[in-house]
Amino acid sequence: MLRPLLALRGRAALLGRPGPAGMLLAAPARGRKSRADPPAKSKAGRVKKPPPVDPAELLVVAERYLRYRQVVRALRAKFKEEMLRRQYEERFGALGQRRKDAAAKEHQQLMAWNDAENRRLQERREERLQKEAAVEEQRRLQGAREQAILLEEFLKEKEREEEAKSFITPENLEERIEECLDNPRNYNFAIDKEGRVAKQSVLP
């Protein structure tokens, strides 16, 4: 109803003719440029430059817009899910309730199976850890025994080296003979039950 009247008023304004109800509508004194008209002389050499943008502020704004869109998308999905669930419950009624109960029961069964599986895996894990601890203890004891054997062999080698210092060799034979002549020892003696020297002969 109003569209023809508005169109008539617009044509009358363009033509400078009286409109409805005797109103005189004057034509606009300033027209509009068409797409083919060249730019004005005062704006011929103007180059439009975008306003400066702070990079840090742009990053913050972009991150906030991203969070906003994510939140709005999540809310829309949530509301849509609730709406569809409500429509489904209203449409199917008891069938939807039975399906819901079946889904809850299945969830409980799955949770019970998950708990049982977790307990089984926990037992296997504890058994494996015990075996690993036993193997590690055996390896540690074996390493300690090997270390003790090596230490004993090292001590025996040191003792042999210390004993070898008192051996008579062709190189120190004359030195040992002179040492024995300078320090004569008498091994002709008797000892009592307690190991003390009881009687000893006199060297000639």
PDB file of all heavy atoms in Angstrom, residues 79-93:
ATOM      1  N   PHE A  79      22.860 -25.182  22.620  1.00  0.00           N
ATOM      2  CA  PHE A  79      21.432 -24.865  22.535  1.00  0.00           C
ATOM      3  C   PHE A  79      20.737 -25.707  21.469  1.00  0.00           C
ATOM      4  O   PHE A  79      19.594 -26.158  21.667  1.00  0.00           O
ATOM      5  CB  PHE A  79      21.247 -23.378  22.228  1.00  0.00           C
ATOM      6  CG  PHE A  79      21.699 -22.475  23.344  1.00  0.00           C
ATOM      7  CD1 PHE A  79      22.112 -21.182  23.090  1.00  0.00           C
ATOM      8  CD2 PHE A  79      21.728 -22.937  24.655  1.00  0.00           C
ATOM      9  CE1 PHE A  79      22.526 -20.356  24.110  1.00  0.00           C
ATOM     10  CE2 PHE A  79      22.138 -22.112  25.682  1.00  0.00           C
ATOM     11  CZ  PHE A  79      22.545 -20.816  25.414  1.00  0.00           C
ATOM     12  N   LYS A  80      21.432 -25.917  20.352  1.00  0.00           N
ATOM     13  CA  LYS A  80      20.842 -26.729  19.294  1.00  0.00           C
ATOM     14  C   LYS A  80      20.655 -28.167  19.762  1.00  0.00           C
ATOM     15  O   LYS A  80      19.619 -28.800  19.496  1.00  0.00           O
ATOM     16  CB  LYS A  80      21.721 -26.673  18.052  1.00  0.00           C
ATOM     17  CG  LYS A  80      21.143 -27.429  16.871  1.00  0.00           C
ATOM     18  CD  LYS A  80      22.029 -27.286  15.649  1.00  0.00           C
ATOM     19  CE  LYS A  80      21.433 -28.027  14.464  1.00  0.00           C
ATOM     20  NZ  LYS A  80      22.299 -27.905  13.247  1.00  0.00           N
ATOM     21  N   GLU A  81      21.650 -28.691  20.487  1.00  0.00           N
ATOM     22  CA  GLU A  81      21.531 -30.054  21.009  1.00  0.00           C
ATOM     23  C   GLU A  81      20.368 -30.165  21.988  1.00  0.00           C
ATOM     24  O   GLU A  81      19.585 -31.124  21.938  1.00  0.00           O
ATOM     25  CB  GLU A  81      22.836 -30.448  21.698  1.00  0.00           C
ATOM     26  CG  GLU A  81      22.829 -31.870  22.245  1.00  0.00           C
ATOM     27  CD  GLU A  81      24.113 -32.197  22.970  1.00  0.00           C
ATOM     28  OE1 GLU A  81      25.003 -31.319  23.016  1.00  0.00           O
ATOM     29  OE2 GLU A  81      24.224 -33.314  23.496  1.00  0.00           O
ATOM     30  N   GLU A  82      20.236 -29.194  22.894  1.00  0.00           N
ATOM     31  CA  GLU A  82      19.114 -29.226  23.839  1.00  0.00           C
ATOM     32  C   GLU A  82      17.774 -29.122  23.110  1.00  0.00           C
ATOM     33  O   GLU A  82      16.813 -29.813  23.463  1.00  0.00           O
ATOM     34  CB  GLU A  82      19.271 -28.084  24.835  1.00  0.00           C
ATOM     35  CG  GLU A  82      20.449 -28.261  25.791  1.00  0.00           C
ATOM     36  CD  GLU A  82      20.555 -27.117  26.770  1.00  0.00           C
ATOM     37  OE1 GLU A  82      19.727 -26.175  26.667  1.00  0.00           O
ATOM     38  OE2 GLU A  82      21.449 -27.151  27.640  1.00  0.00           O
ATOM     39  N   MET A  83      17.720 -28.251  22.106  1.00  0.00           N
ATOM     40  CA  MET A  83      16.472 -28.095  21.361  1.00  0.00           C
ATOM     41  C   MET A  83      16.115 -29.389  20.624  1.00  0.00           C
ATOM     42  O   MET A  83      14.957 -29.841  20.659  1.00  0.00           O
ATOM     43  CB  MET A  83      16.607 -26.947  20.363  1.00  0.00           C
ATOM     44  CG  MET A  83      15.329 -26.663  19.577  1.00  0.00           C
ATOM     45  SD  MET A  83      15.562 -25.411  18.315  1.00  0.00           S
ATOM     46  CE  MET A  83      16.716 -26.244  17.230  1.00  0.00           C
ATOM     47  N   LEU A  84      17.107 -30.000  19.982  1.00  0.00           N
ATOM     48  CA  LEU A  84      16.831 -31.238  19.269  1.00  0.00           C
ATOM     49  C   LEU A  84      16.451 -32.358  20.233  1.00  0.00           C
ATOM     50  O   LEU A  84      15.575 -33.177  19.930  1.00  0.00           O
ATOM     51  CB  LEU A  84      18.059 -31.646  18.447  1.00  0.00           C
ATOM     52  CG  LEU A  84      18.413 -30.728  17.272  1.00  0.00           C
ATOM     53  CD1 LEU A  84      19.685 -31.206  16.595  1.00  0.00           C
ATOM     54  CD2 LEU A  84      17.276 -30.668  16.262  1.00  0.00           C
ATOM     55  N   ARG A  85      17.096 -32.406  21.404  1.00  0.00           N
ATOM     56  CA  ARG A  85      16.743 -33.433  22.384  1.00  0.00           C
ATOM     57  C   ARG A  85      15.315 -33.228  22.888  1.00  0.00           C
ATOM     58  O   ARG A  85      14.548 -34.189  23.057  1.00  0.00           O
ATOM     59  CB  ARG A  85      17.725 -33.405  23.555  1.00  0.00           C
ATOM     60  CG  ARG A  85      17.467 -34.545  24.553  1.00  0.00           C
ATOM     61  CD  ARG A  85      18.366 -34.440  25.773  1.00  0.00           C
ATOM     62  NE  ARG A  85      19.764 -34.558  25.423  1.00  0.00           N
ATOM     63  CZ  ARG A  85      20.639 -33.555  25.478  1.00  0.00           C
ATOM     64  NH1 ARG A  85      20.224 -32.342  25.852  1.00  0.00           N
ATOM     65  NH2 ARG A  85      21.894 -33.735  25.167  1.00  0.00           N
ATOM     66  N   ARG A  86      14.946 -31.963  23.136  1.00  0.00           N
ATOM     67  CA  ARG A  86      13.594 -31.679  23.607  1.00  0.00           C
ATOM     68  C   ARG A  86      12.563 -32.060  22.534  1.00  0.00           C
ATOM     69  O   ARG A  86      11.518 -32.648  22.842  1.00  0.00           O
ATOM     70  CB  ARG A  86      13.468 -30.201  23.965  1.00  0.00           C
ATOM     71  CG  ARG A  86      12.173 -29.853  24.686  1.00  0.00           C
ATOM     72  CD  ARG A  86      12.107 -28.383  25.043  1.00  0.00           C
ATOM     73  NE  ARG A  86      13.194 -28.016  25.944  1.00  0.00           N
ATOM     74  CZ  ARG A  86      14.214 -27.237  25.598  1.00  0.00           C
ATOM     75  NH1 ARG A  86      14.301 -26.781  24.343  1.00  0.00           N
ATOM     76  NH2 ARG A  86      15.157 -26.933  26.467  1.00  0.00           N
ATOM     77  N   GLN A  87      12.873 -31.716  21.270  1.00  0.00           N
ATOM     78  CA  GLN A  87      11.957 -32.092  20.201  1.00  0.00           C
ATOM     79  C   GLN A  87      11.850 -33.613  20.070  1.00  0.00           C
ATOM     80  O   GLN A  87      10.761 -34.156  19.856  1.00  0.00           O
ATOM     81  CB  GLN A  87      12.426 -31.489  18.876  1.00  0.00           C
ATOM     82  CG  GLN A  87      12.304 -29.977  18.815  1.00  0.00           C
ATOM     83  CD  GLN A  87      12.822 -29.423  17.509  1.00  0.00           C
ATOM     84  OE1 GLN A  87      13.344 -30.166  16.676  1.00  0.00           O
ATOM     85  NE2 GLN A  87      12.689 -28.107  17.319  1.00  0.00           N
ATOM     86  N   TYR A  88      12.982 -34.289  20.222  1.00  0.00           N
ATOM     87  CA  TYR A  88      12.971 -35.746  20.129  1.00  0.00           C
ATOM     88  C   TYR A  88      12.148 -36.359  21.254  1.00  0.00           C
ATOM     89  O   TYR A  88      11.354 -37.281  21.034  1.00  0.00           O
ATOM     90  CB  TYR A  88      14.412 -36.261  20.170  1.00  0.00           C
ATOM     91  CG  TYR A  88      14.532 -37.757  20.078  1.00  0.00           C
ATOM     92  CD1 TYR A  88      14.496 -38.408  18.855  1.00  0.00           C
ATOM     93  CD2 TYR A  88      14.684 -38.524  21.236  1.00  0.00           C
ATOM     94  CE1 TYR A  88      14.609 -39.777  18.765  1.00  0.00           C
ATOM     95  CE2 TYR A  88      14.797 -39.898  21.161  1.00  0.00           C
ATOM     96  CZ  TYR A  88      14.750 -40.524  19.924  1.00  0.00           C
ATOM     97  OH  TYR A  88      14.857 -41.889  19.854  1.00  0.00           O
ATOM     98  N   GLU A  89      12.330 -35.834  22.482  1.00  0.00           N
ATOM     99  CA  GLU A  89      11.562 -36.361  23.611  1.00  0.00           C
ATOM    100  C   GLU A  89      10.076 -36.067  23.449  1.00  0.00           C
ATOM    101  O   GLU A  89       9.228 -36.903  23.779  1.00  0.00           O
ATOM    102  CB  GLU A  89      12.084 -35.754  24.915  1.00  0.00           C
ATOM    103  CG  GLU A  89      13.483 -36.245  25.287  1.00  0.00           C
ATOM    104  CD  GLU A  89      13.994 -35.576  26.541  1.00  0.00           C
ATOM    105  OE1 GLU A  89      13.292 -34.677  27.057  1.00  0.00           O
ATOM    106  OE2 GLU A  89      15.094 -35.941  27.012  1.00  0.00           O
ATOM    107  N   GLU A  90       9.763 -34.886  22.943  1.00  0.00           N
ATOM    108  CA  GLU A  90       8.358 -34.562  22.732  1.00  0.00           C
ATOM    109  C   GLU A  90       7.743 -35.417  21.629  1.00  0.00           C
ATOM    110  O   GLU A  90       6.556 -35.738  21.672  1.00  0.00           O
ATOM    111  CB  GLU A  90       8.214 -33.077  22.394  1.00  0.00           C
ATOM    112  CG  GLU A  90       8.546 -32.154  23.564  1.00  0.00           C
ATOM    113  CD  GLU A  90       8.450 -30.697  23.158  1.00  0.00           C
ATOM    114  OE1 GLU A  90       8.201 -30.452  21.949  1.00  0.00           O
ATOM    115  OE2 GLU A  90       8.630 -29.829  24.025  1.00  0.00           O
ATOM    116  N   ARG A  91       8.545 -35.762  20.634  1.00  0.00           N
ATOM    117  CA  ARG A  91       8.006 -36.513  19.505  1.00  0.00           C
ATOM    118  C   ARG A  91       7.853 -37.993  19.825  1.00  0.00           C
ATOM    119  O   ARG A  91       6.820 -38.599  19.514  1.00  0.00           O
ATOM    120  CB  ARG A  91       8.914 -36.339  18.287  1.00  0.00           C
ATOM    121  CG  ARG A  91       8.442 -37.079  17.039  1.00  0.00           C
ATOM    122  CD  ARG A  91       9.358 -36.799  15.870  1.00  0.00           C
ATOM    123  NE  ARG A  91       9.414 -35.362  15.580  1.00  0.00           N
ATOM    124  CZ  ARG A  91      10.196 -34.816  14.645  1.00  0.00           C
ATOM    125  NH1 ARG A  91      10.986 -35.614  13.929  1.00  0.00           N
ATOM    126  NH2 ARG A  91      10.191 -33.528  14.430  1.00  0.00           N
ATOM    127  N   PHE A  92       8.861 -38.583  20.467  1.00  0.00           N
ATOM    128  CA  PHE A  92       8.839 -40.020  20.691  1.00  0.00           C
ATOM    129  C   PHE A  92       8.384 -40.401  22.099  1.00  0.00           C
ATOM    130  O   PHE A  92       7.949 -41.520  22.315  1.00  0.00           O
ATOM    131  CB  PHE A  92      10.221 -40.616  20.410  1.00  0.00           C
ATOM    132  CG  PHE A  92      10.631 -40.488  18.976  1.00  0.00           C
ATOM    133  CD1 PHE A  92      11.468 -39.463  18.573  1.00  0.00           C
ATOM    134  CD2 PHE A  92      10.174 -41.368  18.023  1.00  0.00           C
ATOM    135  CE1 PHE A  92      11.848 -39.330  17.253  1.00  0.00           C
ATOM    136  CE2 PHE A  92      10.549 -41.250  16.705  1.00  0.00           C
ATOM    137  CZ  PHE A  92      11.398 -40.218  16.295  1.00  0.00           C
ATOM    138  N   GLY A  93       8.532 -39.521  23.095  1.00  0.00           N
ATOM    139  CA  GLY A  93       7.990 -39.765  24.427  1.00  0.00           C
ATOM    140  C   GLY A  93       8.643 -40.938  25.136  1.00  0.00           C
ATOM    141  O   GLY A  93       9.834 -40.924  25.441  1.00  0.00           O
TER     142      GLY A  93
END
